[in-house]
Amino acid sequence: DVKVTQSSRYLVKRTGEKVFLECVQDMDHENMFWYRQDPGLGLRLIYFSYDVKMKEKGDIPEGYSVSREKKERFSLILESASTNQTSMYLCASTRSRGGYTFGSGTRLTVV
Amino acid sequence: GQQVMQIPQYQHVQEGEDFTTYCNSSTTLSNIQWYKQRPGGHPVFLIQLVKSGEVKKQKRLTFQFGEAKKNSSLHITATQTTDVGTYFCAGPSGGSNYKLTFGKGTLLTVNP
């Protein structure tokens, strides 16, 4: 089974902190994604990557950056965490034309 | 930009009743995918439809892709408590086959 592993299930960070969310997949998928999920707003794409060192902005990239130094790892960085970034963060991966495999999610609370 | 609308937002049924959720896109889709997210869980891929008018079945679940490839539906026959969760449709966006725009989902609750 394809596995997408997110490093933390729950995180609590302070406003202004730099936050790293890590995601690792084990099936050699080219494409990786970061979404955030909020009640009433659904899944919104933050950033995605279709190859190592390649990245593209999604629909809501402001306040975030990403890093993909290795094919299996895609990191989401909150440069200076704010309370409006409190959310569930979901990482996903896929080959070019298949369904996504999601990680279990990281519930981030910024206080 | 592309929008994917889902209705209804919520649906509560008695166990044994049928359930349908509908998905509409503002643009023609090359394919449509469906996902299920259990409460407290993460979205899990169910199926992908590619052809105009395509119908696929998975046990009690029937998925349809419209003739114009702008709408889709998921129908569950005789719901069970295990069907509880949020069902999302998603279509390719931005000219890419792997970047998806998700609908906001339909939350299904089932009364035993």
Side-chain angles (χ1 to χ4, degrees):
Chain A
D1 278 353
V2 176
K3 273 198 174 173
V4 177
T5 304
Q6 293 184 232
S7 54
S8 304
R9 189 77 174 99
Y10 299 96
L11 272 180
V12 180
K13 297 291 181 179
R14 294 194 180 277
T15 300
E17 276 193 77
K18 192 168 185 176
V19 181
F20 293 86
L21 302 183
E22 304 288 343
C23 175
V24 177
Q25 51 96 2
D26 66 359
M27 282 300 289
D28 202 36
H29 284 174
E30 299 89 357
N31 309 298
M32 298 187 74
F33 308 83
W34 276 105
Y35 285 84
R36 63 178 283 178
Q37 185 174 30
D38 301 287
L41 297 177
L43 289 152
R44 293 181 292 166
L45 180 63
I46 305 171
Y47 265 98
F48 67 103
S49 169
Y50 53 90
D51 202 352
V52 175
K53 297 192 186 293
M54 306 303 288
K55 60 185 179 184
E56 286 197 27
K57 294 180 180 179
D59 300 318
I60 51 163
E62 296 78 18
Y64 303 94
S65 63
V66 290
S67 172
R68 193 162 181 205
E69 296 297 318
K70 293 184 178 181
K71 191 174 186 178
E72 67 270 18
R73 186 179 296 269
F74 192 34
S75 303
L76 179 69
I77 304 152
L78 285 66
E79 299 292 341
S80 176
S82 64
T83 54
N84 63 14
Q85 292 178 310
T86 290
S87 186
M88 170 66 84
Y89 289 87
L90 288 161
C91 175
S93 73
T94 188
R95 293 195 189 283
S96 294
R97 291 174 183 265
Y100 284 12
T101 300
F102 281 88
S104 298
T106 296
R107 186 165 293 282
L108 173 67
T109 302
V110 182
V111 299
Chain B
Q2 180 202 28
Q3 290 189 340
V4 177
M5 310 296 291
Q6 260 186 277
I7 56 169
Q9 192 174 359
Y10 306 98
Q11 185 78 57
H12 178 74
V13 299
Q14 289 292 128
E15 191 171 20
E17 291 182 341
D18 292 357
F19 159 77
T20 304
T21 174
Y22 299 91
C23 181
N24 290 285
S25 170
S26 57
T27 60
T28 301
L29 300 171
S30 59
N31 68 81
I32 195 157
Q33 299 180 13
W34 285 91
Y35 293 78
K36 176 184 179 181
Q37 184 175 21
R38 295 181 186 274
H42 57 275
V44 174
F45 173 70
L46 294 176
I47 205 162
Q48 177 173 276
L49 304 173
V50 178
K51 298 177 183 176
S52 170
E54 188 170 14
V55 178
K56 285 189 175 180
K57 292 192 174 186
Q58 290 180 350
K59 297 185 180 178
R60 294 177 295 103
L61 277 61
T62 301
F63 304 84
Q64 291 189 310
F65 200 9
E67 294 290 341
K69 301 184 80 173
K70 294 183 73 173
N71 58 75
S72 181
S73 65
L74 159 59
H75 179 81
I76 302 178
T77 303
T79 54
Q80 299 175 358
T81 55
T82 53
D83 295 324
V84 165
T86 301
Y87 293 85
F88 295 96
C89 64
S93 64
S96 162
N97 267 332
Y98 53 81
K99 179 186 162 191
L100 296 177
T101 295
F102 284 80
K104 292 186 179 179
T106 297
L107 173 60
L108 171 65
T109 55
V110 179
N111 200 30

